[in-house]
Amino acid sequence: MSNVQTRADLATLPSYVPGRTIPGAIKLASNEVPAGPLPSVSAAIAVAAADVHRYPDTAAGELTARLVDKLGVPASEIAIGCGSVSLCQQLIQALCTERDEVVFAWRSFEAYPIVTHVVGAQQVRVPLTEDHALDLDAMAAAITPSTRLVFVCTPNNPTGTTLRTAELLRFLDSVPPNVLVVLDEAYHEFVNDPDVPNGIDLFRERQNIAVLRTFSKAYGLAGLRVGYCVAPEDVTTALKKVYVPFSVNHIAQVAAIASLDAEDELMARCREIMVERVRVRDELIAAGYDIPETQANFVWLPLGERTAAFNEHCLEHKVVVRAFVGDGARVTIGTPEENDVFLAAARSFSR
């Protein structure tokens, strides 16, 4: 051990827990899409590999230009980051000090409390409703003069529940204009409910919204780490000041552009997952589980104190799920064959 002194408060900080990978087991723990990159994307990655001796474009200019065309917002209102989780941390770094508060639902994306703590801001956790959804009234009530930022994860990770237009607009109307509402839409491409609003449309109408999107989920680039934030120009300017230079590598940028070129094919894959999502949820409900409606590429099993036992039972059946001990288990929608193995394990579990 050295004599170097690290921050004492980090001893109380839980580490981010990734989904486990076990050889020979079906991995349904990390919300990855089951199919690999499209051939056209793999080909673009192979070509890009020849240039890894060069630094990437730290401004991600070509990718930004493609997103300008896709989203219809100016380049000055887009910031590229190393996945949306990195952008979460950049947002807190750019907006908050140790005197400021960050409000988020709990349970929600497990990185929120970690990145808030690391930056030194204060966490304000707001419990979910009995239906495992974000309690927007309680979140609005939790905002104080010290609040600088509110994370709104929709669809919510890990419960899959999402917000409808009327309730979200009512919430936004109640938030002070100096508080940034971050709509974390990492699973936006899996939404097929027409009453779920598009965060980019809301952004165009208001000055205190940021929208996070990622290429890790629907676009199948989880291993390359690239995402983006759409926000007012003063916010994106601040994000770029706290961005680690060159952190979005060249291959990631090329793969994201190639994925946008193949968007129709990728969205067809998403629709297949949506069909499986309905089947898996229906069969779990038929087996006696209480499964909230989901608009993401996973289902949530609120098992409470039985979560750890369920996790071990699934492992015995060679299925890896994401267990949040004491709360529930999140299970990614895989291929039909993978889902069948999971469903068989779930049916044989004694609750």
Side-chain angles (χ1 to χ4, degrees):
M1 296 290 289
S2 75
N3 293 320
V4 176
Q5 293 185 347
T6 60
R7 282 172 48 183
D9 64 309
L10 294 183
T12 64
L13 180 66
S15 299
Y16 180 86
V17 180
R20 296 168 65 183
T21 299
I22 298 177
I26 295 170
K27 184 183 179 185
L28 301 179
S30 296
N31 297 343
E32 300 150 334
V33 291
L38 293 170
S40 60
V41 178
S42 294
I45 289 172
V47 172
D51 293 325
V52 295
H53 61 301
R54 305 293 187 188
Y55 283 108
D57 174 10
T58 196
E62 188 176 353
L63 176 56
T64 299
R66 289 300 307 276
L67 290 171
V68 167
D69 292 339
K70 170 181 169 62
L71 304 172
V73 300
S76 60
E77 296 177 342
I78 298 173
I80 307 298
C82 194
S84 57
V85 64
S86 177
L87 288 159
C88 288
Q89 182 163 328
Q90 288 174 242
L91 281 162
I92 300 173
Q93 288 176 311
L95 271 68
C96 300
T97 69
E98 69 279 359
R99 298 183 301 274
D100 300 316
E101 294 176 349
V102 177
V103 175
F104 51 85
W106 196 251
R107 180 170 289 275
S108 192
F109 182 32
E110 62 184 308
Y112 296 155
I114 296 173
V115 296
T116 302
H117 186 112
V118 168
V119 172
Q122 306 303 307
Q123 304 174 31
V124 180
R125 304 188 189 194
V126 179
L128 299 176
T129 69
E130 292 183 356
D131 297 326
H132 315 288
L134 273 60
D135 188 338
L136 291 184
D137 290 339
M139 291 179 72
I143 295 173
T144 74
S146 297
T147 304
R148 297 295 302 278
L149 186 153
V150 180
F151 282 115
V152 176
C153 189
T154 179
N156 184 47
N157 179 13
T159 62
T161 54
T162 194
L163 300 171
R164 270 60 181 187
T165 300
E167 61 182 331
L168 183 53
L169 288 176
R170 186 171 64 250
F171 170 76
L172 293 172
D173 287 341
S174 71
V175 176
N178 65 315
V179 175
L180 184 69
V181 177
V182 181
L183 299 178
D184 188 344
E185 296 186 336
Y187 301 94
H188 170 76
E189 291 82 6
F190 299 103
V191 172
N192 61 1
D193 184 337
D195 196 25
V196 174
N198 183 324
I200 303 298
D201 294 336
L202 298 176
F203 162 76
R204 293 190 181 97
E205 301 169 358
R206 297 170 186 261
Q207 297 299 310
N208 66 330
I209 288 179
V211 182
L212 297 179
R213 300 272 178 87
T214 182
F215 287 92
S216 296
K217 309 304 181 187
Y219 291 88
L221 301 182
L224 288 177
R225 314 305 305 127
V226 56
Y228 58 94
C229 176
V230 177
E233 185 174 351
D234 54 341
V235 174
T236 56
T237 298
L239 284 177
K240 293 168 187 176
K241 289 182 181 295
V242 298
Y243 170 73
V244 177
F246 310 118
S247 59
V248 180
N249 66 70
H250 175 61
I251 293 176
Q253 293 182 40
V254 168
I257 293 168
S259 295
L260 290 172
D261 289 339
E263 194 163 29
D264 289 345
E265 293 176 80
L266 290 168
M267 292 309 105
R269 287 183 174 184
C270 288
R271 288 190 291 273
E272 293 173 0
I273 291 172
M274 294 174 198
V275 172
E276 275 295 286
R277 174 179 71 195
V278 173
R279 182 178 77 90
V280 169
R281 179 174 183 260
D282 286 349
E283 295 205 22
L284 287 170
I285 291 173
Y289 288 90
D290 173 24
I291 309 295
E293 181 184 0
T294 174
Q295 286 283 297
N297 69 327
F298 54 84
V299 292
W300 173 247
L301 287 72
L303 296 165
E305 295 306 315
R306 294 290 287 158
T307 301
F310 181 82
N311 182 54
E312 291 303 315
H313 177 80
C314 288
L315 288 175
E316 291 171 2
H317 288 75
K318 300 298 184 182
V319 178
V320 184
V321 302
R322 180 66 175 90
F324 298 87
V325 176
D327 289 334
R330 187 193 69 200
V331 184
T332 307
I333 303 300
T335 65
E337 296 76 17
E338 291 171 337
N339 298 332
D340 285 340
V341 175
F342 162 67
L343 288 168
R347 292 189 195 100
S348 63
F349 176 66
S350 175
R351 299 191 303 284

